[in-house]
Amino acid sequence: MTNDLSPLASLRHALASSNTYIDTIATLAAAKANSSASYNTYIALQTAESLQRAEQLPSLYPDANARPALYGTTISIKDCFDVAGTITTCGSRFYAEFNPVATTNSWVAQRLLDVGAIIPGKTHLHQLAYGITGESVDYGDSLQPRDPTLLTGGSSSGAAASVQEGSALAAIGTDTGGSVRVPAALCGLAGYRSSHGVSHGEERWAGGAHLAPSFDTLGLLFRDLRDGPALANAIFDIAASSAPSNPRIGCVGEEFLHDAEPEVLEAYSAWQQQLVRHGAILTPIDTTFWADSLEIFSHIQASEAAAIHRGHYQHFEPAIAERLAWGASITADQFDAFHKRLAVFRSQMSLIFQQVDLLLLPCAPVSKLHAGHDQSRIRPTILRYTTPISLTGLPAVTLPGEHTGAAFGTGMQLIAAPMQDASLLAFAATLTTATS
């Protein structure tokens, strides 16, 4: 569907002549209705707090010309970040009882408030953010509001659902091994995984719960690629940039895509054609060394997660408890060896970016995950597509498949070199219009 204005631009236009309070009632009503329908979008809705803030915003910023960038914008936040007055559950009933009520906001929650946003609630996530499907034994499986027979994907599951249902214009997620990219792709949304260098550091993770610090990044899910630069600028200080012209884009070949569904391959081909129409020069890349990515990633991730959650493994679902116990068994020498392999992997990836400006590949080899079906074997299948980017701390934008007329849920990863977030977002914003 082609819109003259992006969702963020449309909101700004509406707020120039309407009441923030009235607008927010509608969006929060949608959140409450859909949560009641068991889509499991939010773990904690903040309806009263959000409506109060919506009422206060006009008096906080009486000069319409001096309003902050995201004034009146509803942005949900993944429940692994503190919001004052709430308990951060990390998607776990154990931590819901173990953790105290937060007395201060996390860095990212405070940033949202500082730029004028409204936080409708804290969203569902795969337990400990340690999963890719959006399933949860503690809070129920997160389902797509547009089709409750389908899982959202994870771990930023409720984040995707909140944007898809319309209770949030954008959502804060995290991406360690694919946790923004995959749910964005499966839910027909745009997504942004920041460079590790953008997310890394004590300040930006203040009040946030890590899974694996070597790979954890902050990210966003939203509806329209055109809104990516403005959102990233307001929240993460990503400066505006011009879009590169005639970028060289590296594409993976058939040997890597051997397990991809036909619908995913069709979307991949459609996006390649779209990129060529935008002046891109496509070139094949050698991904042979990517075969090591999942082994390197899984060992380092499990070891770091095990250290964070030591002493509590028995409180988590069996698959996660097993991964944590395995991570705890990895010796210091083994951990060091995997970090040496990681350094080699990163060197090999840097050589690719001497040949190309961007990379393109699917976010996942599948376009949907059916609720109630056995998904126990899907994790490594999907992570093979996402972990090469996670290992190297690269920024990525999820390009919705539907923008090219492809099947719903067939999103692509457009990837840039480290810290090239601004030009990546700018280029992605030129590619297509809003999702329907």
Side-chain angles (χ1 to χ4, degrees):
M1 179 177 71
T2 302
N3 292 327
D4 292 332
L5 296 175
S6 72
L8 183 57
S10 296
L11 176 66
R12 287 171 172 169
H13 178 74
L15 291 178
S17 58
S18 62
N19 188 304
T20 306
Y21 176 73
I22 299 299
D23 292 340
T24 305
I25 287 176
T27 197
L28 291 171
K32 194 167 186 178
N34 286 338
S35 292
S36 299
S38 299
Y39 296 154
N40 298 319
T41 301
Y42 292 93
I43 289 177
L45 269 171
Q46 291 197 289
T47 306
E49 296 87 345
S50 297
L51 293 176
Q52 182 181 32
R53 177 164 171 79
E55 285 185 294
Q56 292 172 344
L57 277 175
S59 59
L60 289 173
Y61 304 102
D63 182 354
N65 295 316
R67 288 172 175 172
L70 300 183
Y71 175 89
T73 306
T74 48
I75 301 182
S76 66
I77 188 167
K78 190 172 182 178
D79 196 16
C80 55
F81 294 102
D82 289 347
V83 173
T86 72
I87 295 173
T88 300
T89 71
C90 298
S92 161
R93 293 283 185 188
F94 167 72
Y95 280 126
E97 298 178 3
F98 181 84
N99 286 339
V101 174
T103 57
T104 58
N105 289 316
S106 58
W107 176 87
V108 71
Q110 189 59 51
R111 172 53 68 96
L112 293 180
L113 298 177
D114 289 345
V115 296
I118 298 167
I119 301 174
K122 304 184 74 180
T123 54
H124 183 288
L125 65 154
H126 205 111
Q127 200 176 67
L128 311 186
Y130 206 174
I132 207 74
T133 63
E135 295 170 299
S136 171
V137 298
D138 282 348
Y139 290 99
D141 299 345
S142 188
L143 309 176
Q144 295 193 33
R146 66 174 291 276
D147 184 352
T149 69
L150 300 178
L151 296 167
T152 56
S155 65
S156 302
S157 46
S162 71
V163 177
Q164 193 187 78
E165 74 182 12
S167 62
L169 185 141
I172 296 291
T174 63
D175 190 311
T176 304
S179 291
V180 163
R181 289 166 283 165
V182 172
L186 296 178
C187 292
L189 302 173
Y192 163 56
R193 166 200 151 92
S194 65
S195 286
H196 191 258
V198 169
S199 303
H200 191 60
E202 293 183 9
E203 180 189 15
R204 294 199 168 180
W205 275 94
H210 272 293
L211 173 62
S214 288
F215 308 125
D216 293 340
T217 64
L218 301 171
L220 288 164
L221 297 96
F222 48 104
R223 292 189 65 84
D224 190 324
L225 290 167
R226 292 174 294 174
D227 286 334
L231 291 166
N233 173 258
I235 300 171
F236 301 124
D237 300 314
I238 302 296
S241 171
S242 58
S245 58
N246 308 117
R248 301 165 300 164
I249 300 182
C251 298
V252 300
E254 294 180 1
E255 71 286 347
F256 183 85
L257 300 167
H258 62 83
D259 58 349
E261 294 177 346
E263 294 85 356
V264 174
L265 294 176
E266 290 171 9
Y268 184 51
S269 177
W271 264 114
Q272 288 177 308
Q273 295 172 39
Q274 179 88 325
L275 289 165
V276 169
R277 287 194 291 271
H278 277 77
I281 302 165
L282 305 186
T283 183
I285 57 169
D286 182 5
T287 59
T288 305
F289 71 97
W290 286 12
D292 286 340
S293 67
L294 184 53
E295 184 179 23
I296 298 169
F297 175 84
S298 296
H299 280 79
I300 296 174
Q301 180 194 45
S303 180
E304 293 184 353
I308 291 170
H309 300 287
R310 182 174 289 117
H312 305 315
Y313 305 164
Q314 72 275 17
H315 298 291
F316 309 128
E317 62 181 76
I320 291 177
E322 184 177 319
R323 271 180 240 148
L324 292 170
W326 170 62
S329 73
I330 296 170
T331 67
D333 287 344
Q334 291 172 327
F335 187 76
D336 289 343
F338 278 106
H339 265 281
K340 289 176 181 177
R341 288 173 62 180
L342 173 61
V344 172
F345 188 95
R346 288 175 171 170
S347 295
Q348 292 174 301
M349 188 70 90
S350 68
L351 293 176
I352 290 181
F353 281 101
Q354 292 179 15
Q355 307 165 38
V356 301
D357 305 302
L358 301 167
L359 300 177
L360 179 74
L361 71 152
C363 291
V366 298
S367 61
K368 56 179 72 72
L369 299 175
H370 293 281
H373 290 205
D374 181 7
Q375 304 293 349
S376 59
R377 298 181 182 179
I378 197 64
R379 184 171 179 269
T381 302
I382 294 176
L383 291 181
R384 190 174 71 82
Y385 282 69
T386 56
T387 54
I389 285 70
S390 297
L391 287 181
T392 36
L394 304 178
V397 169
T398 300
L399 308 175
E402 309 80 83
H403 284 352
T404 61
F408 193 92
T410 54
M412 299 292 119
Q413 307 177 70
L414 187 66
I415 302 144
M419 304 304 290
Q420 297 303 305
D421 302 51
S423 61
L424 170 65
L425 287 159
F427 181 69
T430 69
L431 295 178
T432 189
T433 53
T435 57
S436 58

